[in-house]
Amino acid sequence: MEEKFDYWEFLAGIGLFLWGMSQLELAIKELGGASFKNLLHRFTDKSWKGILVGIGITAILQSSSLVTLMVLAFLGGGMISLRNSLGVVLGANLGTTFTAWVVATFGFKISVADFAFPFLAIGVMTYLFMNSRPFLKNTGIFLLGFGLLFLGLDYMKLAIEEYATAVDLSELQSYGLWVFFITGIIITAMIQSSSAMIVIVLSAVNAQVIGTDHALAMVIGANIGTTFTLILGAIDGSADKKRLALGNFAFNFFAGVFCFFWIDQLIDISIHFFNVVDPLMELVILNSLFNLIMILAFFPFLPAIEKWLTKRFRRYVPKGRSRYIKNVPLDVPSVAILAFEKELEWVLKDTLKLVWKIIHKHKRPKKDASVWKKITFQPKDLLQDYQNLKNLEEELYLFAMFLQEKNLSLDEATLLNDLTQTMRSLVIGAKEFKDIVHNLVEMENSEEPFVVDILDRLQGEVKDFLTVFEDYVAMGTADEAIMQSVKAKLKNNYSSLIQLLYTQLKTKKTDVSISTMANVIQQVFSGLELIWGAIGSLHKQEIAPEERL
């Protein structure tokens, strides 16, 4: 009697396998996601390091999509170059083959269901009864995912084994390996998991439904099909996402086509060089070999590939004045916050440039201009610089507002609030200087030496402040004593100037009113104090950013 293929059992197996993979991804992300993001951030300054990190993280996380999401976040935030992110993607393709090794080693040599049941039982109980303890809860999810993964494998294996004796592939095989190659691409693109596809292929090989050459053709196709996950996500994505998706597709497509034409030679290598007789182990070795060939083939050309990709999709670069946050997905809050912080470094630089231009390089109105024009004078370039700063502030505020809607930890929410306050201090400090431009011009045009002397003193204060700031940043460490010392100095110098102003003008009037000069002095020192406080806050947060990832 001819066996009927139990489609529902087979589809249930795929569903359980994919669900198990997603639960494993969720658990590992919660248990060690910060550590993996820290590793990815710190050790991807070179392409070869990116490849090694991509292999290691993906082998543990078993989710190339999660690793790719991290890479996109760092790439958009300017914390990793396109070249090095391509290296991580290359490594991730090899790291994801670890699932096939586990399945081929254990999945077909023991009773898979019996192996899965203890993990399912312990995982479910831990998850249900330890729900208030995050570590134990996520450990339970991990065990549950592991059990579901192998239970799904058991369903797929049984469904294929029951039908194996009744399957006649002679007609299908007559079309050649191309049909298996294309089938691997299509099925993997549909189920969005190369790991699940390779497990299906391993099950078919174990049941002797297909040979090693057909299986390898499907595996090569699966490696190409899995790139469609990133391609779909890049359709409405930023330019960086499109570039990374195109690079990933190009790697797998060209390497896949090359290896497809050399399938027989690759099989001969696995038999003679590795001396493998188990068809399952032979297939996983060939799968890893394919991805290793891809790394070796493209690694020397990563600089040229980066240059070529950078010229693509320029019209998809997000609009806005920000440099980092406009490219960072909010799906990884810790990286988004780090990008927000890097953006503030530029806000600080723009603020200091504006202050310097206002104090030293403002343009005077013409000598024959009216008194009213001199008093209300506001240079267009300075106003535009300040407006640019305000536009950037608004963009950052909107980013922070959307980020706050994500599932932030208490530490992340506190840090985001602190960074937002720091940004506000910088912009208010810049406004203090912007509002006195016309007063500075009035003082500069004064005929009284004393008024010009006050202006010179204020310019000296700003110059000294910028020098102290440069020295403080060069130290590379936060120093509370220096912070307090500079604050005290600003306060003392403010009091001295105000005292000098009142002493000199008690009996003598000038062409610039005492209230105007007092206001200028007050706003200059107020602005410097706000900016210095923001500098201290930013520099303190920069000391160990990896602790926040």
Side-chain angles (χ1 to χ4, degrees):
M1 181 177 178
E2 184 179 339
E3 293 285 344
K4 291 186 177 180
F5 184 60
D6 192 338
Y7 294 99
W8 290 117
E9 183 179 25
F10 181 72
L11 293 174
I14 294 178
L16 288 172
F17 186 89
L18 293 174
W19 190 25
M21 289 291 292
S22 69
Q23 295 305 303
L24 278 176
E25 176 183 323
L26 174 64
I28 296 177
K29 182 179 178 180
E30 293 296 325
L31 290 170
S35 300
F36 291 122
K37 286 193 283 287
N38 178 28
L39 184 67
L40 186 62
H41 176 52
R42 295 179 62 189
F43 298 104
T44 51
D45 56 328
K46 302 289 184 183
S47 299
W48 64 269
K49 288 183 180 179
I51 291 174
L52 294 178
V53 170
I55 294 172
I57 294 179
T58 311
I60 297 172
L61 292 181
Q62 276 308 289
S63 173
S64 57
S65 60
L66 177 59
V67 174
T68 302
L69 180 62
M70 292 184 193
V71 171
L72 282 171
F74 284 121
L75 175 62
M79 290 161 268
I80 179 175
S81 67
L82 178 60
R83 181 192 313 178
N84 297 342
S85 66
L86 291 170
V88 176
V89 168
L90 279 174
N93 287 326
L94 180 57
T96 195
T97 64
F98 183 72
T99 299
W101 282 93
V102 173
V103 171
T105 303
F106 302 106
F108 297 96
K109 296 177 175 60
I110 59 176
S111 175
V112 182
D114 292 343
F115 180 74
F117 289 150
F119 288 96
L120 290 171
I122 298 173
V124 170
M125 294 300 179
T126 304
Y127 173 75
L128 291 177
F129 296 108
M130 298 293 177
N131 198 39
S132 60
R133 302 180 66 177
F135 178 80
L136 292 176
K137 172 187 174 182
N138 289 312
T139 301
I141 295 175
F142 175 84
L143 296 175
L144 175 61
F146 201 70
L148 287 171
L149 188 150
F150 277 93
L151 186 61
L153 169 62
D154 187 61
Y155 281 133
M156 284 189 283
K157 185 180 74 169
L158 290 175
I160 292 178
E161 285 178 348
E162 290 173 359
Y163 191 54
T165 57
V167 174
D168 183 9
L169 291 175
S170 58
E171 184 177 346
L172 190 61
Q173 291 174 5
S174 65
Y175 292 100
L177 295 178
W178 279 102
V179 69
F180 293 92
F181 175 68
I182 295 173
T183 299
I185 295 176
I186 294 174
I187 295 179
T188 307
M190 291 174 60
I191 64 177
Q192 298 287 293
S193 173
S194 60
S195 297
M197 182 61 200
I198 291 171
V199 169
I200 294 172
V201 175
L202 287 172
S203 300
V205 172
N206 182 68
Q208 299 181 352
V209 175
I210 58 176
T212 304
D213 54 346
H214 308 106
L216 182 56
M218 294 186 73
V219 167
I220 293 173
N223 279 276
I224 297 175
T226 193
T227 63
F228 285 90
T229 302
L230 188 54
I231 290 173
L232 289 174
I235 291 176
D236 294 324
S238 64
D240 284 333
K241 200 166 188 177
K242 294 179 186 295
R243 290 164 184 159
L244 196 62
L246 177 58
N248 188 37
F249 174 77
F251 291 153
N252 286 275
F253 179 78
F254 289 112
V257 171
F258 173 81
C259 289
F260 177 79
F261 286 107
W262 292 83
I263 282 181
D264 293 336
Q265 288 75 11
L266 290 173
I267 293 175
D268 289 339
I269 290 174
S270 69
I271 293 174
H272 297 100
F273 185 79
F274 295 104
N275 195 25
V276 178
V277 293
D278 184 350
L280 297 179
M281 295 305 298
E282 182 181 3
L283 187 59
V284 296
I285 287 175
L286 288 170
N287 184 30
S288 298
L289 184 61
F290 163 76
N291 285 282
L292 182 60
I293 290 172
M294 182 166 59
I295 291 174
L296 296 176
F298 288 104
F299 174 72
F301 304 102
L302 284 181
I305 294 171
E306 177 191 35
K307 187 176 181 180
W308 182 80
L309 287 173
T310 302
K311 296 178 181 179
R312 312 272 84 79
F313 308 112
R314 288 183 174 176
R315 65 192 182 98
Y316 293 100
V317 175
K319 304 298 181 183
R321 298 202 58 82
S322 62
R323 294 168 174 85
Y324 304 112
I325 61 169
K326 64 185 178 184
N327 296 310
V328 176
L330 298 174
D331 308 72
V332 189
S334 57
V335 180
I337 292 174
L338 191 59
F340 189 96
E341 184 176 336
K342 284 178 66 67
E343 204 74 62
L344 287 188
E345 295 175 12
W346 286 97
V347 175
L348 172 59
K349 292 177 183 178
D350 291 344
T351 299
L352 294 177
K353 287 179 182 178
L354 179 61
V355 168
W356 178 262
K357 287 172 69 175
I358 288 174
I359 291 294
H360 292 276
K361 296 183 179 181
H362 53 268
K363 298 177 182 178
R364 309 182 188 184
K366 296 179 180 179
K367 290 185 178 181
D368 58 351
S370 65
V371 175
W372 177 252
K373 187 172 183 180
K374 290 180 180 180
I375 293 176
T376 59
F377 170 68
Q378 294 277 15
K380 290 183 178 180
D381 58 335
L382 293 181
L383 287 179
Q384 186 58 54
D385 288 345
Y386 178 72
Q387 187 58 50
N388 291 339
L389 191 63
K390 288 290 294 180
N391 292 340
L392 179 56
E393 178 194 25
E394 182 178 2
E395 195 173 334
L396 285 166
Y397 261 126
L398 288 174
F399 181 82
M401 182 178 68
F402 289 124
L403 189 55
Q404 286 172 347
E405 297 177 357
K406 299 297 179 180
N407 187 24
L408 302 179
S409 67
L410 180 60
D411 290 341
E412 288 173 339
T414 302
L415 177 58
L416 181 60
N417 181 67
D418 291 343
L419 291 173
T420 305
Q421 293 300 321
T422 298
M423 175 185 66
R424 187 62 182 154
S425 295
L426 287 172
V427 177
I428 293 176
K431 185 177 185 301
E432 293 282 354
F433 283 90
K434 189 270 298 185
D435 288 344
I436 59 171
V437 171
H438 60 286
N439 297 132
L440 293 173
V441 174
E442 185 181 1
M443 292 175 68
E444 195 171 46
N445 290 331
S446 173
E447 300 295 334
E448 295 289 340
F450 174 71
V451 176
V452 177
D453 179 58
I454 291 290
L455 179 60
D456 288 340
R457 287 172 181 260
L458 291 174
Q459 290 174 333
E461 283 291 338
V462 173
K463 183 178 180 180
D464 290 345
F465 171 80
L466 294 177
T467 302
V468 170
F469 163 65
E470 291 177 357
D471 293 341
Y472 185 71
V473 170
M475 289 173 53
T477 58
D479 192 317
E480 187 62 26
I482 294 178
M483 289 296 302
Q484 295 302 325
S485 173
V486 172
K487 287 181 180 179
K489 183 179 179 181
L490 288 173
K491 185 176 181 180
N492 291 334
N493 290 353
Y494 166 73
S495 298
S496 299
L497 270 180
I498 289 294
Q499 185 62 39
L500 176 64
L501 177 67
Y502 289 161
T503 300
Q504 292 291 326
L505 298 180
K506 278 183 180 179
T507 57
K508 184 179 181 181
K509 292 185 178 181
T510 66
D511 51 358
V512 179
S513 67
I514 186 172
S515 61
T516 295
M517 286 188 284
N519 179 65
V520 169
I521 293 171
Q522 191 276 327
Q523 289 193 239
V524 166
F525 280 94
S526 173
L528 291 179
E529 285 181 0
L530 286 166
I531 296 170
W532 181 246
I535 289 172
S537 177
L538 272 178
H539 198 54
K540 186 183 298 183
Q541 292 155 0
E542 289 172 1
I543 300 306
E546 64 272 11
E547 295 178 2
R548 302 192 303 277
L549 285 175

